[in-house]
């Protein structure tokens, strides 16, 4: 392990292979970072498929907490994970996170009561901020010329996860119920621990003071968590209900208070001076909005696929989960392939232009999905167009952040992007359900959605993507990490 030094200029993780070529060591390093990062996406798909089994096993009407508990804990802890990574090195923090994640999923799988399941999921939530550190670790451990390409491959591999996870979920749950999905997550997270421990070198420390801003972290994490919780519950409580408004108000007050708290802290948990820079603010906001659409829309499309087709009552396609998995292979393969292709060219072309092109294609794609989604062929063609753009977005977002922050600020940038994706994701999901509810039919207490509602949730995704594109057009030229991170040359004579 590389010894820590009191200066960020030394004590760096080994960065061999500086000629910018891929080597077996770098391939293994990328796998060690990509596996646990994309396990977060796989966990979301497996968890969504396990939810019905949990509800039936414990006869609970509060099954929403099965997923929400993990999300809330992850949101609360993200600011602390960013700071701890800078203080103690990202590898140590990632190891602690994966160990707790495996422990939590195992506890949930063994639980004999619903509340113990929730306790396990809360512990598993410690693993949630992993992505805030893994993309930053790429900047620390890869040769500068490969940072953009490696980040792009890591981001685009979510398409590969989306290809296999629905089939994996069906096999696990059909054979072993919801516990099978949880045991798989526990084992896969334990494997992630081994990969990180054996293949990821220690990363440099960028914060060397002894102070830790616990108050700022609690105020920021608590504020974000309150907003996410209110948005997640707003549809069931009612958007004008006192509980919803109370949680939203408390979250807003906490976030405003955070701005004042950080001004007085000697060692703030987030450097607000970095976030006040226009390129950083634009890149994080645009990246958060675009990735939210890329990650959230496919999940919402599952509603269209799986809800029954009842003329005049429900405009779903009435597919089985297995049939949906088979059909969705097409657009998920497009997303993965596009991401891989784009990641190869990020180092040769202006990443900002590639990013904007991806946003334009994704906006056009989801506009088309809104108009044409009533048959398999229509949904395949329009979704493939949308996922060409989504592949560019998930591959390009890490390069966008790399291009506006310094190496020392990479953890902060990646962490803030993660927090914004969580926040925007909760808001977009709640907004989509509100749109669906406005055009629904209730039969024996169950809401069925009509076609206008499905069209508008895809058009909503297109509008959010368009907003991200407008912001992206005014982002100034990006930095090249290959130039910024390269070691200084010999002095001139």
């Amino acid at each position: 392990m590389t010894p820590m030094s009191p200066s960020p200029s030394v004590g760096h993780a080994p960065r061999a292979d500086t000629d910018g070529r891929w080597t077996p060591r770098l391939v293994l390093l990328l796998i060690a970072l990509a596996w646990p990062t994309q396990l977060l996406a796989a966990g979301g798909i497996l968890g969504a498929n396990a939810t019905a089994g949990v509800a039936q096993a414990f006869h609970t009407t509060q099954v929403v907490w099965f997923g929400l508990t993990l999300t809330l804990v992850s949101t609360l802890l993200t600011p602390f994970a960013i700071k701890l990574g800078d203080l103690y090195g990202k590898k140590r923090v990632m190891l602690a996170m994966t160990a707790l994640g495996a422990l939590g999923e195992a506890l949930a799988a063994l639980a004999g009561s619903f509340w113990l399941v929730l306790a396990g999921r809360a512990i598993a939530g410690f693993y949630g901020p992993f992505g805030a550190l893994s993309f930053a670790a790429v900047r620390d451990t890869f040769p500068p010329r490969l940072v953009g390409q490696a980040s792009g491959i890591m981001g685009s591999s979510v398409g590969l996860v989306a290809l296999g996870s629905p089939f994996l979920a069906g096999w696990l749950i059909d054979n072993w119920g919801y516990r099978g999905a949880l045991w798989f997550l526990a084992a896969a997270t334990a494997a992630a621990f081994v990969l990180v421990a054996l293949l990821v070198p220690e990363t440099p420390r960028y914060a060397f003071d002894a102070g830790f801003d616990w108050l700022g972290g609690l105020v920021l994490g608590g504020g974000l968590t309150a907003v996410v919780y209110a948005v997640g519950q707003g549809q069931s409580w009612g958007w004008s209900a006192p509980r919803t408004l109370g949680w939203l108000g408390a979250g807003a007050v906490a976030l405003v208070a955070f701005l004042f708290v950080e001004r007085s802290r000697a060692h703030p948990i987030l450097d607000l001076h970095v976030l006040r820079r226009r390129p950083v603010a634009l890149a994080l906001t645009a990246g958060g909005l675009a990735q939210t659409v890329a990650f959230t829309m496919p999940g919402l499309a599952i509603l269209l696929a799986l809800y029954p087709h009842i003329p005049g009552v429900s405009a779903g396609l009435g597919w089985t989960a297995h049939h949906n998995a088979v059909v969705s292979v097409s657009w998920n393969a497009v997303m993965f392939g596009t991401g891989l292709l784009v990641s190869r060219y990020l180092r040769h072309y202006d990443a900002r232009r590639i990013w904007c092109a991806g946003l334009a294609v994704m906006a056009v794609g989801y506009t088309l999905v809104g108009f044409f989604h009533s048959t398999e062929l229509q949904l395949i063609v329009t979704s493939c167009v949308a996922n060409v753009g989504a592949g560019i977005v998930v591959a390009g977002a890490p390069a966008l952040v790399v291009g506006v922050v310094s190496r020392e600020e990479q953890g902060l940038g990646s962490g803030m992007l993660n927090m914004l994706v969580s926040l925007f994701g909760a808001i977009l999901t709640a907004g989509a359900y509100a749109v669906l509810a406005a055009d629904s039919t209730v039969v024996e207490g169950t809401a069925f959605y009509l076609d206008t509602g499905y069209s508008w949730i895809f058009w909503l995704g297109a509008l959010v993507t368009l907003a991200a594109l407008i912001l992206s057009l005014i982002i100034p030229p990006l930095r090249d990490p290959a130039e910024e991170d390269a070691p200084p040359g010999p002095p001139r004579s």
Side-chain angles (χ1 to χ4, degrees), residues 294-308:
F295 295 147
T296 304
M297 283 293 113
L300 293 171
I302 293 176
L303 292 174
L304 169 66
L306 300 188
Y307 261 64

Side-chain angles (χ1 to χ4, degrees), residues 62-310:
Q62 301 298 315
V63 74
V64 64
W65 286 97
F66 179 72
L68 193 57
T69 297
L70 189 144
T71 301
L72 293 177
V73 172
S74 174
T75 303
L76 175 64
L77 294 178
T78 297
F80 295 101
I82 299 168
K83 186 66 172 181
L84 288 171
D86 285 343
L87 279 171
Y88 301 109
K90 298 177 184 67
K91 178 177 180 177
R92 296 179 183 180
V93 180
M94 288 191 290
L95 286 173
M97 293 162 70
T98 50
L100 288 168
L103 175 64
E105 298 292 10
L107 176 61
L110 290 168
S113 70
F114 181 61
W115 301 111
L116 196 55
V117 170
L118 296 185
R121 295 289 279 175
I123 296 172
F126 279 73
Y127 180 58
F130 190 95
L133 299 181
S134 60
F135 283 102
V138 169
R139 184 96 176 252
D140 290 331
T141 56
F142 275 79
R145 285 175 57 81
L146 290 181
V147 167
Q149 188 177 1
S151 298
I153 293 172
M154 273 184 58
S156 63
S157 58
V158 71
L160 185 61
V161 171
L163 272 174
S165 293
F167 294 100
L168 176 64
W171 176 65
L172 290 170
I173 292 171
D174 288 347
N175 287 281
W176 296 284
Y178 78 91
R179 295 184 193 272
L182 293 175
W183 276 120
F184 173 83
L185 289 175
T189 309
F193 178 92
V194 174
L195 288 172
V196 173
L198 296 180
L199 300 174
V200 178
E202 187 53 270
T203 60
R205 293 163 54 187
Y206 296 114
F208 307 96
D209 49 71
F212 193 92
D213 184 15
W214 291 103
L215 178 61
L218 288 172
V219 173
L220 175 61
L224 290 170
T225 302
V227 172
V228 171
Y229 177 59
V231 172
Q233 296 288 82
Q235 185 64 32
S236 59
W237 288 349
W239 292 107
S240 60
R243 282 190 295 179
T244 305
L245 297 177
W247 279 99
L248 284 173
V253 169
L255 294 176
V256 171
F258 171 74
L259 301 178
F260 291 96
V261 168
E262 293 302 273
R263 289 182 179 181
S264 62
R265 311 302 288 183
H267 310 294
I269 196 162
L270 294 182
D271 186 352
L272 295 181
H273 294 289
V274 174
L275 303 179
R276 288 181 189 138
R277 298 205 304 263
R278 187 170 69 94
V280 177
L282 288 171
L284 291 179
T285 304
L289 289 171
Q291 283 200 308
T292 295
V293 174
F295 295 147
T296 304
M297 283 293 113
L300 293 171
I302 293 176
L303 292 174
L304 169 66
L306 300 188
Y307 261 64
H309 182 74
I310 307 172

Side-chain angles (χ1 to χ4, degrees), residues 374-388:
S374 58
T375 67
E376 286 182 4
L377 180 60
Q378 287 184 359
L379 198 57
I380 288 173
V381 172
T382 56
S383 294
C384 282
V385 174
N387 272 21
V388 168

Side-chain angles (χ1 to χ4, degrees), residues 371-439:
F371 283 110
F372 307 105
H373 55 256
S374 58
T375 67
E376 286 182 4
L377 180 60
Q378 287 184 359
L379 198 57
I380 288 173
V381 172
T382 56
S383 294
C384 282
V385 174
N387 272 21
V388 168
I392 298 174
V393 164
V394 296
L400 197 69
V401 176
V402 165
V404 295
V405 298
S406 68
R407 228 178 123 194
E408 293 78 7
E409 299 163 348
Q410 182 67 44
L412 172 61
S414 298
M416 285 300 300
L417 182 62
N418 267 29
M419 284 191 284
L420 288 176
V421 170
S422 294
L423 180 61
F424 293 157
I427 294 172
L428 180 60
T429 300
Y433 274 98
V435 167
L436 287 170
D439 190 46

Side-chain angles (χ1 to χ4, degrees), residues 316-395:
L317 297 176
W319 296 350
T320 64
H322 178 76
H323 185 69
N324 177 61
V326 171
V327 175
S328 66
V329 163
S330 56
W331 56 77
N332 287 323
V334 166
M335 181 178 178
F336 178 57
T338 302
L340 281 183
L341 181 65
V342 167
S343 66
R344 294 187 59 186
Y345 292 99
L346 285 173
R347 60 185 284 188
H348 302 295
Y349 297 96
D350 185 348
R352 183 183 50 165
R353 293 184 180 181
I354 296 175
W355 166 262
C356 289
L359 291 175
V361 173
M362 190 163 73
V364 170
Y366 278 117
T367 300
L368 292 174
V369 177
F371 283 110
F372 307 105
H373 55 256
S374 58
T375 67
E376 286 182 4
L377 180 60
Q378 287 184 359
L379 198 57
I380 288 173
V381 172
T382 56
S383 294
C384 282
V385 174
N387 272 21
V388 168
I392 298 174
V393 164
V394 296

